[in-house]
Amino acid sequence: MGKTIVEKILSAHAGRDLIAGDFAICEVDFCFGQDGTSAIIIDRIKALGVTKLANKDKFCMVIDHSSPSPNTGVSKVHSKMRSFAAEFNLKIYDIGCGVCHEVVPTEGNVLPGDLVLGADSHTCTYGAIGALSCGVGSTDLAVSLASGKNWFRVPETIKIEINGKLPKGVYAKDLILYIIGDLGANGATYKAVEFYGSTIDNLSLDGRFTMSNMVVEMGAKCAFFPVDKKVLEWVKARRINRKAKVYKADSDVKYCLVKKYDAEKVTPQVARPHTVDNVVSLKEVKGKRIDEAFLGTCTNGRLDDLKVAAKILKGRKINPGVKFIVAPASRRIYLEALKLGLIDIFIKAEAVVISPGCGPCVGTHMGIPSDKEVVISTANRNFKGRMGNPESEIYLASPATVCASAVTGKITDPRGFLK
């Protein structure tokens, strides 16, 4: 019987043949923590009495969830991370560098075929470039840092095939919300997901990162997108001093589930409070008044997203009753957006452009809504209290929908803004 991509990658990293359901100890190619999880990683390393790490070049820390620090408690965490990095001569991406799931791959730490662990649930993002990447707890991450290995149970795999051209005003975010709404929050629990089809082939890397980022919202362990010419060119631009390993599923693979979607039937989608799978077509919530709009995050803070936003906002003003916050996903993206004049458009539209980071998304600072306020966001989660206030409501949508809504002051179909 043929093998899936996850079976092949884990077999290669275990040094023996594996199939779904098997347990194995595997070599880890890269791992990382962020400022919400690294303090525990450090504590566990100290508790284990580790004085020499397995491979310091295969680990980094990213200060992104509270960047810059909003209070003295967080400042102490950041100081602890910097001290640990200095002690072991580790790589650290400090304040302003950006969100871990943009910084880790684009700074040349990840290749197709790699096995990557992150102490953050959205580590599944790197499946966009064909890596096996998944989130783990801080203690498991500490074990990987200390030993260079970890244990895995090989997941079963779901195949999702999407064909057709995405209609005007419909983006990767709408597509993944549509799929999550169909499969449900537990529809892919501890499964790998392989994406195929003409729609996927035509998606930009930014769009693939968006979709891969959100597979965990339907319970998936990891995702895989085809390693095609776009991916290989992206890897080449990183100038990584290692060779990528491209894995493809065999033609006779037995998937646990196969789903097919017609992209041409997808319309702008919105996830209503307070679960990500509470997805409806935008027309069902059209006209809902909003108080805040947020463009950014590891899901939709990339350059493609900012370009779409600028197209809608150029020559327009944010509704006076709306706070509109924009957070580029990284310093590199911020600089590129500056060069292209996108930041100028945002500021002239009276948006607030903040430093790269996760603050508003995770509710640590820079955009916490008040009681009863309604937020429309490009983030990946809308759980009660996700943005820092359990008395607010969060709707999830594409950058185009978020920007159109920021202009009108209510949830708005972006297609009327896109000529």
Side-chain angles (χ1 to χ4, degrees):
M1 186 187 299
K3 287 189 177 295
T4 62
I5 297 174
V6 72
E7 288 172 335
K8 288 186 175 184
I9 293 178
L10 287 178
S11 293
H13 286 76
R16 63 185 180 90
D17 191 49
L18 300 172
I19 60 172
D22 286 345
F23 289 83
I25 302 295
C26 299
E27 296 279 349
V28 175
D29 292 303
F30 196 79
C31 58
F32 71 92
Q34 35 90 340
D35 50 333
T37 57
S38 288
I40 300 174
I41 295 170
I42 295 168
D43 288 346
R44 296 295 179 267
I45 288 292
K46 300 291 186 182
L48 288 169
V50 175
T51 57
K52 185 178 180 181
L53 305 179
N55 189 335
K56 67 181 184 63
D57 296 325
K58 292 185 178 181
F59 173 76
C60 77
M61 292 180 289
V62 186
I63 294 179
D64 61 355
H65 276 52
S66 301
S67 172
S69 171
N71 57 56
T72 56
V74 170
S75 295
K76 289 176 182 177
V77 170
H78 290 178
S79 179
K80 185 175 186 175
M81 292 170 67
R82 294 181 186 115
S83 296
F84 184 69
E87 179 183 352
F88 287 93
N89 191 25
L90 300 170
K91 190 182 302 180
I92 184 168
Y93 297 100
D94 217 314
I95 60 171
C97 286
V99 181
C100 58
H101 303 309
E102 173 63 19
V103 172
V104 167
T106 57
E107 291 298 321
N109 298 299
V110 179
L111 281 173
D114 277 355
L115 176 56
V116 182
L117 297 183
D120 187 283
S121 57
H122 290 102
T123 304
C124 52
T125 303
Y126 321 143
I129 59 168
L132 198 178
S133 58
C134 53
V136 295
S138 296
T139 300
D140 269 328
L141 203 291
V143 169
S144 296
L145 178 56
S147 68
K149 303 176 182 179
N150 218 311
W151 71 273
F152 296 84
R153 176 168 67 84
V154 184
E156 294 181 302
T157 298
I158 295 172
K159 179 183 180 181
I160 295 180
E161 186 175 334
I162 313 163
N163 290 297
K165 184 179 179 181
L166 286 172
K168 182 182 75 172
V170 178
Y171 300 90
K173 180 60 163 283
D174 298 297
L175 189 54
I176 191 63
L177 284 175
Y178 183 83
I179 293 169
I180 293 169
D182 180 45
L183 290 178
N186 297 313
T189 298
Y190 209 91
K191 302 290 193 297
V193 180
E194 294 178 5
F195 287 95
Y196 299 100
S198 63
T199 311
I200 298 302
D201 293 340
N202 290 321
L203 273 185
S204 67
L205 261 292
D206 282 1
R208 296 180 197 184
F209 276 121
T210 292
M211 291 187 66
S212 193
N213 175 270
M214 290 194 69
V215 297
V216 70
E217 308 310 334
M218 55 189 185
K221 186 72 172 173
C222 56
F224 299 100
F225 286 69
V227 181
D228 56 13
K229 184 178 178 182
K230 291 178 185 177
V231 174
L232 295 176
E233 287 178 350
W234 185 93
V235 169
K236 186 177 179 181
R238 308 274 88 75
R239 297 181 180 178
I240 305 173
N241 192 27
R242 289 189 293 124
K243 189 175 181 180
K245 295 180 181 178
V246 180
Y247 293 92
K248 297 180 180 180
D250 293 326
S251 58
D252 57 342
V253 163
K254 248 189 143 174
Y255 294 100
C256 65
L257 176 68
V258 176
K259 295 287 290 185
K260 295 184 179 182
Y261 297 95
D262 183 351
E264 295 179 16
K265 293 182 179 179
V266 180
T267 60
Q269 303 287 297
V270 176
R272 300 174 294 188
H274 293 283
T275 60
V276 183
D277 61 349
N278 188 14
V279 178
V280 294
S281 175
L282 185 147
K283 64 183 179 182
E284 294 191 35
V285 290
K286 186 177 179 180
K288 173 73 176 180
R289 179 192 59 81
I290 65 167
D291 302 286
E292 181 173 321
F294 176 45
L295 171 66
T297 78
C298 58
T299 314
N300 282 118
R302 296 181 177 85
L303 198 60
D304 280 3
D305 306 312
L306 301 187
K307 286 179 178 178
V308 170
K311 187 174 182 180
I312 291 174
L313 293 176
K314 189 172 184 179
R316 295 187 171 101
K317 297 286 186 184
I318 303 304
N319 187 281
V322 175
K323 300 164 286 185
F324 186 37
I325 300 164
V326 179
S330 72
R331 180 179 288 139
R332 286 179 182 269
I333 291 171
Y334 203 143
L335 287 170
E336 189 62 29
L338 277 168
K339 290 177 186 176
L340 295 174
L342 309 184
I343 302 299
D344 186 67
I345 291 172
F346 298 149
I347 293 174
K348 285 180 178 176
E350 299 182 357
V352 177
V353 182
I354 64 174
S355 61
C358 309
C361 175
V362 293
T364 54
H365 63 151
M366 295 196 292
I368 298 173
S370 185
D371 292 355
K372 309 300 180 186
E373 286 194 335
V374 176
V375 183
I376 188 162
S377 167
T378 62
N380 43 42
R381 286 182 175 155
N382 61 346
F383 307 150
K384 185 182 281 287
R386 170 68 179 185
M387 293 186 72
N389 187 347
E391 301 304 318
S392 63
E393 294 183 349
I394 306 168
Y395 290 76
L396 303 180
S398 74
T401 297
V402 167
C403 290
S405 303
V407 170
T408 64
K410 54 191 177 183
I411 296 179
T412 299
D413 193 320
R415 291 176 289 192
F417 287 78
L418 299 165
K419 305 300 181 184

